């Protein structure tokens, strides 16, 4: 692809939204209702991490909870009703050096007067031997997606935060034994989840790290090291679910937008980034709240600000 390549289709839009999680979907709804006919490039993870969640119990308006995929589809339908266009396409490069901003996918280019980035975050890897080779063969980063495969089996969950405990509790639906392995002696997760995990008979191994995931065709065990005694051991297991935080999906924007030390897009309360006309919302700029409702709120704010920006420019 080059600047002189005229064979690629070019799509012009007032607003392009990158990502279709709760932030992107809400931004699409608000931009569509402002009659800006936004184009949403969904990326490869339609619905974002919310779509991988079995039941969302804390999104207002759903007293009985709502499925993660179900709410994603409702978000999309609502935005489309007002004129948002969803493209199941992934941005591979962006040029934010001048307006209109240029977004390139594998086969097409998009030119946008304003851009809203809601590309979210991806789960961190443990980076231990066996992890990559056994991903999909017992190593997983999504209990909702893979829990069913562990009916009546033993699984371990790595991490001590809210995600680890929430997913561990979910896994007790299927697995015969769920053991959380945490590197410290105190959990980071909130007390309510800790209580629910204990009630669900989740087991805990503290002060311990996983040093290797063992298996050939499938996971058979994890190798462990106690961080205080340095004692090593092996624990037989059929599955390893890893929930040790996230890394924002900002690779595309390095060198073009200001990022913080952990790679999150730096944005202000009006969702403005370091480039006028480029806004960010959701987990790509928020390491703190990471809730469907907060991401949706940020997406709405970003679209309102983008609308104002377009009115002024
Ligand atoms: P997190 O709070 O950052 O927790 C990550 C956990 O992984 C920590 O316990 C950390 O240990 C451990 N960890 C990190 N790197 C590790 C490594 N290399 N090896 C072993 N363990 C490692 O991430 P999270 O649980 O995904 O939650 C992120 C945010 O989302 C939080 O603000 C959380 O409250 C929120 N959240 C909320 C809900 C809910 O409200 N239901 C659900 C999910 C997430 P240390 O504790 O030692 O640092």
């Amino acid at each position: 692809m080059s600047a002189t390549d005229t064979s690629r289709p070019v799509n012009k839009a007032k607003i392009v939204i990158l990502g279709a999680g709760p932030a992107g979907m809400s931004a699409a709804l608000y931009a569509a209702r402002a009659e800006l006919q936004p184009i949403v490039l969904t990326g490869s993870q339609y619905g974002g991490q919310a779509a991988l969640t079995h039941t969302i119990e804390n999104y207002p308006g759903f007293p009985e909870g709502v499925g993660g995929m179900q709410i994603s589809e409702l978000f999309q339908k609502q935005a489309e009703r007002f004129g948002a266009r969803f493209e199941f396409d992934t941005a591979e490069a962006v040029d934010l050096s001048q307006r209109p901003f240029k977004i390139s996918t594998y086969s097409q280019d998009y030119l946008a007067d304003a851009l809203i980035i809601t590309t979210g975050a991806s789960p961190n890897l443990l980076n231990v031997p066996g992890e990559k080779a056994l991903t999909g063969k017992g190593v997983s980063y999504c209990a909702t997606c893979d829990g069913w495969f562990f009916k009546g089996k033993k699984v371990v969950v790595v991490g001590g935060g809210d995600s680890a405990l929430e997913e561990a509790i979910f896994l007790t639906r299927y697995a015969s034994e769920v053991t959380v392995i945490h590197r410290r002696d105190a959990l980071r997760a909130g007390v309510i989840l800790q209580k629910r995990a204990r009630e669900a008979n989740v087991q805990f191994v503290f002060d311990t790290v996983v040093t290797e995931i063992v298996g050939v065709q499938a996971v058979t065990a994890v190798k462990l090291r106690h961080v205080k005694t340095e004692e090593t051991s092996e624990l037989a297991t059929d599955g390893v679910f890893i929930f040790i935080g996230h890394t924002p999906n900002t690779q595309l924007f390095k060198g073009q937008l200001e990022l913080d030390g952990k790679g999150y897009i730096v944005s202000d309360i009006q969702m403005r980034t370091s480039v006028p006309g480029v806004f960010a919302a959701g987990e790509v700029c928020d390491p703190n709240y990471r809730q469907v409702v907060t991401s949706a709120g940020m997406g709405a704010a970003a679209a309102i600000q983008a609308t104002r920006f377009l009115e002024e420019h």
Side-chain angles (χ1 to χ4, degrees):
M1 167 197 359
S2 76
T4 53
D5 185 351
T6 52
S7 61
R8 291 165 58 82
V10 177
N11 305 269
K12 289 187 180 152
K14 291 189 185 105
I15 294 190
V16 167
I17 298 164
L18 300 183
M25 300 278 200
S26 295
L29 171 63
Y30 273 72
R33 282 178 57 80
E35 303 202 318
L36 294 169
Q37 294 93 33
I39 297 177
V40 182
L41 301 184
T42 63
S44 57
Q45 180 61 65
Y46 171 84
Q49 293 180 76
L52 301 177
T53 306
H54 184 268
T55 311
I56 295 165
E57 293 185 325
N58 50 11
Y59 192 80
F62 293 91
E64 307 302 326
V66 57
M69 185 51 86
Q70 189 191 354
I71 200 171
S72 304
E73 288 168 358
L74 289 171
F75 282 151
Q76 179 183 352
K77 214 169 157 188
Q78 193 173 359
E80 281 177 335
R81 189 179 140 216
F82 295 102
R85 187 174 120 203
F86 283 71
E87 296 286 345
F88 290 84
D89 209 350
T90 302
E92 293 190 340
V94 296
D95 180 356
L96 308 182
S97 62
Q98 57 181 22
R99 290 180 58 229
F101 306 118
K102 185 174 169 190
I103 302 103
S104 302
T105 70
Y106 176 72
S107 59
Q108 327 198 17
D109 292 327
Y110 293 82
L111 295 177
D113 293 328
L115 180 66
I116 300 178
I117 301 170
T118 67
T119 47
S122 298
N124 288 341
L125 307 189
L126 266 180
N127 289 319
V128 296
E131 181 180 19
K132 280 206 174 122
L134 291 164
T135 294
K137 297 175 180 170
V139 174
S140 171
Y141 305 86
C142 176
T144 311
C145 321
D146 300 328
W148 188 86
F149 297 109
F150 295 88
K151 266 187 185 167
K153 297 187 172 176
K154 284 179 168 185
V155 298
V156 301
V157 169
V158 185
D162 283 333
S163 299
L165 263 57
E166 198 168 73
E167 305 288 329
I169 294 164
F170 178 76
L171 284 165
T172 61
R173 289 168 184 237
Y174 307 105
S176 58
E177 211 175 294
V178 179
T179 306
V180 169
I181 299 172
H182 181 38
R183 64 183 177 181
R184 287 189 296 133
D185 60 1
L187 293 166
R188 183 176 291 277
V191 284
I192 294 173
L193 277 174
Q194 292 194 30
K195 187 166 170 274
R196 281 178 57 194
R198 293 205 161 88
E199 284 167 0
N201 209 19
V202 170
Q203 306 297 303
F204 290 91
V205 174
F206 289 110
D207 287 322
T208 299
V209 290
V210 173
T211 55
E212 185 177 339
I213 300 171
V214 184
V216 182
Q217 288 305 319
V219 168
T220 53
V222 280
K223 288 190 180 172
L224 305 176
R225 179 171 55 80
H226 194 280
V227 294
K228 289 180 179 159
T229 63
E230 293 295 327
E231 200 176 309
T232 58
S233 59
E234 198 164 302
L235 178 68
T237 188
D238 302 298
V240 184
F241 286 82
I242 299 165
F243 304 106
I244 57 167
H246 293 82
T247 299
N249 298 321
T250 52
Q251 199 64 32
L252 278 185
F253 314 110
K254 271 187 184 157
Q256 302 197 60
L257 286 181
E258 187 185 346
L259 307 179
D260 72 9
K262 290 186 171 169
Y264 288 88
I265 293 177
V266 175
S267 59
D268 66 11
I269 195 158
Q270 296 177 347
M271 304 293 126
R272 293 179 295 199
T273 70
S274 56
V275 172
V278 179
F279 301 82
E283 288 188 33
V284 75
C285 60
D286 163 38
N288 294 312
Y289 300 113
R290 304 189 57 248
Q291 302 297 300
V292 179
V293 67
T294 50
S295 288
M298 287 183 217
I304 291 169
Q305 290 306 134
T307 306
R308 287 182 186 157
F309 174 86
L310 291 176
E311 281 165 4
E312 287 163 13
H313 295 79

